[in-house]
mmCIF file of all heavy atoms in Angstrom:
data_model
loop_
_atom_site.group_PDB
_atom_site.id
_atom_site.type_symbol
_atom_site.label_atom_id
_atom_site.label_comp_id
_atom_site.label_asym_id
_atom_site.label_seq_id
_atom_site.Cartn_x
_atom_site.Cartn_y
_atom_site.Cartn_z
ATOM 1 N N ILE A 6 15.175 19.687 -4.662
ATOM 2 C CA ILE A 6 16.520 19.848 -5.208
ATOM 3 C C ILE A 6 16.635 19.119 -6.543
ATOM 4 O O ILE A 6 16.335 17.936 -6.631
ATOM 5 C CB ILE A 6 17.598 19.289 -4.260
ATOM 6 C CG1 ILE A 6 17.466 19.905 -2.864
ATOM 7 C CG2 ILE A 6 19.008 19.566 -4.818
ATOM 8 C CD1 ILE A 6 18.447 19.328 -1.847
ATOM 9 N N TYR A 8 19.213 17.818 -9.029
ATOM 10 C CA TYR A 8 20.630 17.530 -9.204
ATOM 11 C C TYR A 8 20.921 17.281 -10.669
ATOM 12 O O TYR A 8 20.209 16.524 -11.343
ATOM 13 C CB TYR A 8 21.027 16.271 -8.412
ATOM 14 C CG TYR A 8 20.990 16.436 -6.904
ATOM 15 C CD1 TYR A 8 19.975 15.877 -6.155
ATOM 16 C CD2 TYR A 8 21.987 17.151 -6.261
ATOM 17 C CE1 TYR A 8 19.946 16.015 -4.765
ATOM 18 C CE2 TYR A 8 21.974 17.308 -4.875
ATOM 19 C CZ TYR A 8 20.938 16.744 -4.131
ATOM 20 O OH TYR A 8 20.931 16.877 -2.768
ATOM 21 N N VAL A 36 21.375 22.095 -8.320
ATOM 22 C CA VAL A 36 22.728 21.763 -7.843
ATOM 23 C C VAL A 36 23.484 21.006 -8.929
ATOM 24 O O VAL A 36 23.085 19.920 -9.339
ATOM 25 C CB VAL A 36 22.675 20.916 -6.557
ATOM 26 C CG1 VAL A 36 24.091 20.490 -6.146
ATOM 27 C CG2 VAL A 36 22.007 21.691 -5.454
ATOM 28 N N LEU A 38 26.284 18.818 -9.640
ATOM 29 C CA LEU A 38 27.176 17.959 -8.838
ATOM 30 C C LEU A 38 28.589 17.869 -9.382
ATOM 31 O O LEU A 38 29.509 17.529 -8.653
ATOM 32 C CB LEU A 38 26.561 16.548 -8.725
ATOM 33 C CG LEU A 38 25.333 16.433 -7.812
ATOM 34 C CD1 LEU A 38 24.830 14.995 -7.817
ATOM 35 C CD2 LEU A 38 25.688 16.871 -6.392
ATOM 36 N N HIS A 41 29.916 20.983 -7.720
ATOM 37 C CA HIS A 41 29.788 21.007 -6.244
ATOM 38 C C HIS A 41 29.828 19.571 -5.725
ATOM 39 O O HIS A 41 28.821 19.032 -5.263
ATOM 40 C CB HIS A 41 28.475 21.683 -5.844
ATOM 41 C CG HIS A 41 28.395 23.109 -6.294
ATOM 42 N ND1 HIS A 41 29.049 24.138 -5.645
ATOM 43 C CD2 HIS A 41 27.792 23.671 -7.375
ATOM 44 C CE1 HIS A 41 28.815 25.283 -6.288
ATOM 45 N NE2 HIS A 41 28.060 25.027 -7.339
ATOM 46 N N ALA A 42 30.998 18.984 -5.800
ATOM 47 C CA ALA A 42 31.185 17.597 -5.384
ATOM 48 C C ALA A 42 30.886 17.421 -3.896
ATOM 49 O O ALA A 42 30.596 16.304 -3.441
ATOM 50 C CB ALA A 42 32.615 17.147 -5.698
ATOM 51 N N ASP A 43 30.939 18.503 -3.145
ATOM 52 C CA ASP A 43 30.637 18.415 -1.714
ATOM 53 C C ASP A 43 29.155 18.140 -1.448
ATOM 54 O O ASP A 43 28.790 17.858 -0.309
ATOM 55 C CB ASP A 43 31.047 19.706 -1.007
ATOM 56 C CG ASP A 43 30.359 20.938 -1.620
ATOM 57 O OD1 ASP A 43 30.412 21.082 -2.854
ATOM 58 O OD2 ASP A 43 29.783 21.727 -0.867
ATOM 59 N N ARG A 44 28.349 18.217 -2.496
ATOM 60 C CA ARG A 44 26.919 17.932 -2.311
ATOM 61 C C ARG A 44 26.568 16.477 -2.673
ATOM 62 O O ARG A 44 25.423 16.052 -2.541
ATOM 63 C CB ARG A 44 26.079 18.879 -3.202
ATOM 64 C CG ARG A 44 26.323 20.375 -2.959
ATOM 65 C CD ARG A 44 25.716 20.846 -1.640
ATOM 66 N NE ARG A 44 24.279 20.682 -1.590
ATOM 67 C CZ ARG A 44 23.396 21.636 -1.950
ATOM 68 N NH1 ARG A 44 23.823 22.795 -2.398
ATOM 69 N NH2 ARG A 44 22.104 21.428 -1.843
ATOM 70 N N ILE A 45 27.567 15.755 -3.194
ATOM 71 C CA ILE A 45 27.306 14.375 -3.652
ATOM 72 C C ILE A 45 26.847 13.471 -2.502
ATOM 73 O O ILE A 45 25.895 12.696 -2.650
ATOM 74 C CB ILE A 45 28.557 13.789 -4.340
ATOM 75 C CG1 ILE A 45 28.778 14.488 -5.694
ATOM 76 C CG2 ILE A 45 28.397 12.282 -4.567
ATOM 77 C CD1 ILE A 45 30.024 14.028 -6.452
ATOM 78 N N ALA A 46 27.509 13.563 -1.362
ATOM 79 C CA ALA A 46 27.156 12.672 -0.248
ATOM 80 C C ALA A 46 25.695 12.831 0.163
ATOM 81 O O ALA A 46 24.994 11.827 0.398
ATOM 82 C CB ALA A 46 28.075 12.949 0.937
ATOM 83 N N ALA A 47 25.221 14.064 0.212
ATOM 84 C CA ALA A 47 23.827 14.308 0.619
ATOM 85 C C ALA A 47 22.861 13.752 -0.429
ATOM 86 O O ALA A 47 21.797 13.224 -0.108
ATOM 87 C CB ALA A 47 23.592 15.808 0.815
ATOM 88 N N ALA A 48 23.262 13.874 -1.690
ATOM 89 C CA ALA A 48 22.419 13.353 -2.769
ATOM 90 C C ALA A 48 22.335 11.822 -2.655
ATOM 91 O O ALA A 48 21.246 11.227 -2.722
ATOM 92 C CB ALA A 48 22.987 13.749 -4.127
ATOM 93 N N GLU A 49 23.483 11.206 -2.460
ATOM 94 C CA GLU A 49 23.493 9.742 -2.350
ATOM 95 C C GLU A 49 22.720 9.258 -1.115
ATOM 96 O O GLU A 49 22.098 8.215 -1.124
ATOM 97 C CB GLU A 49 24.942 9.240 -2.268
ATOM 98 C CG GLU A 49 25.675 9.320 -3.605
ATOM 99 C CD GLU A 49 27.055 8.690 -3.536
ATOM 100 O OE1 GLU A 49 27.791 8.925 -2.548
ATOM 101 O OE2 GLU A 49 27.433 7.964 -4.482
ATOM 102 N N ALA A 50 22.769 10.071 -0.074
ATOM 103 C CA ALA A 50 22.083 9.692 1.175
ATOM 104 C C ALA A 50 20.584 9.539 1.002
ATOM 105 O O ALA A 50 19.942 8.776 1.715
ATOM 106 C CB ALA A 50 22.383 10.707 2.270
ATOM 107 N N VAL A 51 20.010 10.262 0.047
ATOM 108 C CA VAL A 51 18.563 10.124 -0.180
ATOM 109 C C VAL A 51 18.284 9.226 -1.386
ATOM 110 O O VAL A 51 17.135 9.153 -1.843
ATOM 111 C CB VAL A 51 17.860 11.495 -0.363
ATOM 112 C CG1 VAL A 51 17.905 12.267 0.954
ATOM 113 C CG2 VAL A 51 18.481 12.286 -1.492
ATOM 114 N N GLY A 52 19.333 8.563 -1.887
ATOM 115 C CA GLY A 52 19.118 7.573 -2.933
ATOM 116 C C GLY A 52 19.398 7.986 -4.354
ATOM 117 O O GLY A 52 19.083 7.238 -5.283
ATOM 118 N N VAL A 53 19.988 9.156 -4.562
ATOM 119 C CA VAL A 53 20.287 9.573 -5.932
ATOM 120 C C VAL A 53 21.439 8.731 -6.487
ATOM 121 O O VAL A 53 22.502 8.647 -5.880
ATOM 122 C CB VAL A 53 20.658 11.078 -5.992
ATOM 123 C CG1 VAL A 53 21.113 11.454 -7.400
ATOM 124 C CG2 VAL A 53 19.480 11.932 -5.572
ATOM 125 N N LYS A 54 21.215 8.101 -7.613
ATOM 126 C CA LYS A 54 22.198 7.234 -8.215
ATOM 127 C C LYS A 54 22.705 7.766 -9.550
ATOM 128 O O LYS A 54 23.739 7.351 -10.065
ATOM 129 C CB LYS A 54 21.625 5.816 -8.410
ATOM 130 C CG LYS A 54 21.281 5.142 -7.078
ATOM 131 C CD LYS A 54 20.836 3.714 -7.306
ATOM 132 C CE LYS A 54 20.311 3.070 -6.040
ATOM 133 N NZ LYS A 54 21.062 3.393 -4.825
ATOM 134 N N SER A 55 21.934 8.651 -10.144
ATOM 135 C CA SER A 55 22.322 9.235 -11.429
ATOM 136 C C SER A 55 21.689 10.601 -11.548
ATOM 137 O O SER A 55 20.798 10.980 -10.779
ATOM 138 C CB SER A 55 21.869 8.324 -12.593
ATOM 139 O OG SER A 55 20.456 8.223 -12.611
ATOM 140 N N VAL A 56 22.174 11.364 -12.506
ATOM 141 C CA VAL A 56 21.587 12.661 -12.796
ATOM 142 C C VAL A 56 21.027 12.636 -14.220
ATOM 143 O O VAL A 56 21.518 11.860 -15.041
ATOM 144 C CB VAL A 56 22.640 13.802 -12.697
ATOM 145 C CG1 VAL A 56 23.015 14.019 -11.257
ATOM 146 C CG2 VAL A 56 23.854 13.561 -13.569
ATOM 147 N N ALA A 58 18.267 14.214 -11.466
ATOM 148 C CA ALA A 58 17.355 13.646 -10.470
ATOM 149 C C ALA A 58 16.726 14.800 -9.695
ATOM 150 O O ALA A 58 17.353 15.825 -9.447
ATOM 151 C CB ALA A 58 18.112 12.723 -9.518
ATOM 152 N N VAL A 60 14.807 15.662 -6.155
ATOM 153 C CA VAL A 60 14.522 15.163 -4.801
ATOM 154 C C VAL A 60 13.449 16.038 -4.163
ATOM 155 O O VAL A 60 13.604 17.253 -4.075
ATOM 156 C CB VAL A 60 15.808 15.169 -3.940
ATOM 157 C CG1 VAL A 60 15.461 14.822 -2.482
ATOM 158 C CG2 VAL A 60 16.810 14.161 -4.479
ATOM 159 N N ASP A 63 12.730 14.253 0.461
ATOM 160 C CA ASP A 63 13.721 13.192 0.662
ATOM 161 C C ASP A 63 13.507 11.956 -0.190
ATOM 162 O O ASP A 63 14.029 10.890 0.095
ATOM 163 C CB ASP A 63 13.821 12.775 2.132
ATOM 164 C CG ASP A 63 14.648 13.785 2.927
ATOM 165 O OD1 ASP A 63 15.324 14.627 2.326
ATOM 166 O OD2 ASP A 63 14.606 13.733 4.174
ATOM 167 N N ALA A 64 12.689 12.083 -1.226
ATOM 168 C CA ALA A 64 12.503 10.960 -2.153
ATOM 169 C C ALA A 64 13.189 11.327 -3.461
ATOM 170 O O ALA A 64 13.017 12.439 -3.969
ATOM 171 C CB ALA A 64 11.024 10.694 -2.375
ATOM 172 N N ALA A 65 13.986 10.409 -3.985
ATOM 173 C CA ALA A 65 14.737 10.665 -5.205
ATOM 174 C C ALA A 65 14.007 10.165 -6.435
ATOM 175 O O ALA A 65 13.581 9.011 -6.485
ATOM 176 C CB ALA A 65 16.111 10.000 -5.128
ATOM 177 N N HIS A 67 14.691 9.785 -10.351
ATOM 178 C CA HIS A 67 15.631 9.865 -11.446
ATOM 179 C C HIS A 67 14.846 10.126 -12.712
ATOM 180 O O HIS A 67 13.877 9.418 -12.995
ATOM 181 C CB HIS A 67 16.408 8.563 -11.550
ATOM 182 C CG HIS A 67 17.141 8.226 -10.273
ATOM 183 N ND1 HIS A 67 16.542 7.505 -9.266
ATOM 184 C CD2 HIS A 67 18.367 8.570 -9.839
ATOM 185 C CE1 HIS A 67 17.401 7.406 -8.243
ATOM 186 N NE2 HIS A 67 18.513 8.030 -8.572
ATOM 187 N N ALA A 72 24.009 10.747 -16.434
ATOM 188 C CA ALA A 72 25.297 10.218 -15.976
ATOM 189 C C ALA A 72 25.146 9.617 -14.594
ATOM 190 O O ALA A 72 24.313 10.067 -13.807
ATOM 191 C CB ALA A 72 26.337 11.348 -15.942
ATOM 192 N N PRO A 73 25.955 8.570 -14.308
ATOM 193 C CA PRO A 73 25.909 7.995 -12.967
ATOM 194 C C PRO A 73 26.634 8.908 -11.980
ATOM 195 O O PRO A 73 27.554 9.636 -12.379
ATOM 196 C CB PRO A 73 26.634 6.661 -13.128
ATOM 197 C CG PRO A 73 27.607 6.924 -14.240
ATOM 198 C CD PRO A 73 26.893 7.867 -15.171
ATOM 199 N N ILE A 74 26.236 8.855 -10.732
ATOM 200 C CA ILE A 74 26.884 9.651 -9.689
ATOM 201 C C ILE A 74 28.385 9.351 -9.675
ATOM 202 O O ILE A 74 29.215 10.248 -9.479
ATOM 203 C CB ILE A 74 26.273 9.314 -8.316
ATOM 204 C CG1 ILE A 74 24.935 10.015 -8.134
ATOM 205 C CG2 ILE A 74 27.227 9.700 -7.180
ATOM 206 C CD1 ILE A 74 25.026 11.441 -7.664
ATOM 207 N N SER A 75 28.729 8.120 -9.858
ATOM 208 C CA SER A 75 30.136 7.712 -9.768
ATOM 209 C C SER A 75 31.012 8.485 -10.749
ATOM 210 O O SER A 75 32.191 8.735 -10.480
ATOM 211 C CB SER A 75 30.277 6.206 -10.022
ATOM 212 O OG SER A 75 29.758 5.869 -11.296
ATOM 213 N N ALA A 76 30.441 8.861 -11.888
ATOM 214 C CA ALA A 76 31.232 9.589 -12.889
ATOM 215 C C ALA A 76 31.513 11.021 -12.466
ATOM 216 O O ALA A 76 32.356 11.709 -13.067
ATOM 217 C CB ALA A 76 30.467 9.583 -14.217
ATOM 218 N N LEU A 77 30.843 11.467 -11.421
ATOM 219 C CA LEU A 77 30.994 12.872 -10.998
ATOM 220 C C LEU A 77 31.966 13.007 -9.826
ATOM 221 O O LEU A 77 32.229 14.103 -9.334
ATOM 222 C CB LEU A 77 29.649 13.448 -10.594
ATOM 223 C CG LEU A 77 28.553 13.322 -11.655
ATOM 224 C CD1 LEU A 77 27.217 13.757 -11.108
ATOM 225 C CD2 LEU A 77 28.919 14.131 -12.892
ATOM 226 N N LYS A 78 32.514 11.883 -9.393
ATOM 227 C CA LYS A 78 33.355 11.908 -8.201
ATOM 228 C C LYS A 78 34.826 12.145 -8.492
ATOM 229 O O LYS A 78 35.610 12.324 -7.570
ATOM 230 C CB LYS A 78 33.197 10.599 -7.429
ATOM 231 C CG LYS A 78 31.838 10.432 -6.793
ATOM 232 C CD LYS A 78 31.785 9.154 -5.982
ATOM 233 C CE LYS A 78 30.420 8.999 -5.318
ATOM 234 N NZ LYS A 78 30.276 7.702 -4.620
ATOM 235 N N SER A 79 35.187 12.129 -9.747
ATOM 236 C CA SER A 79 36.607 12.253 -10.074
ATOM 237 C C SER A 79 37.113 13.684 -9.798
ATOM 238 O O SER A 79 36.337 14.620 -9.788
ATOM 239 C CB SER A 79 36.854 11.908 -11.521
ATOM 240 O OG SER A 79 36.081 12.737 -12.351
#
Side-chain angles (χ1 to χ4, degrees):
Chain A
I6 306 176
Y8 291 107
V36 176
L38 288 179
H41 299 282
D43 57 310
R44 303 288 298 268
I45 290 178
E49 286 186 316
V51 293
V53 174
K54 296 186 188 320
S55 63
V56 289
V60 172
D63 282 346
H67 302 88
I74 282 277
S75 59
L77 306 173
K78 291 183 179 175
S79 58

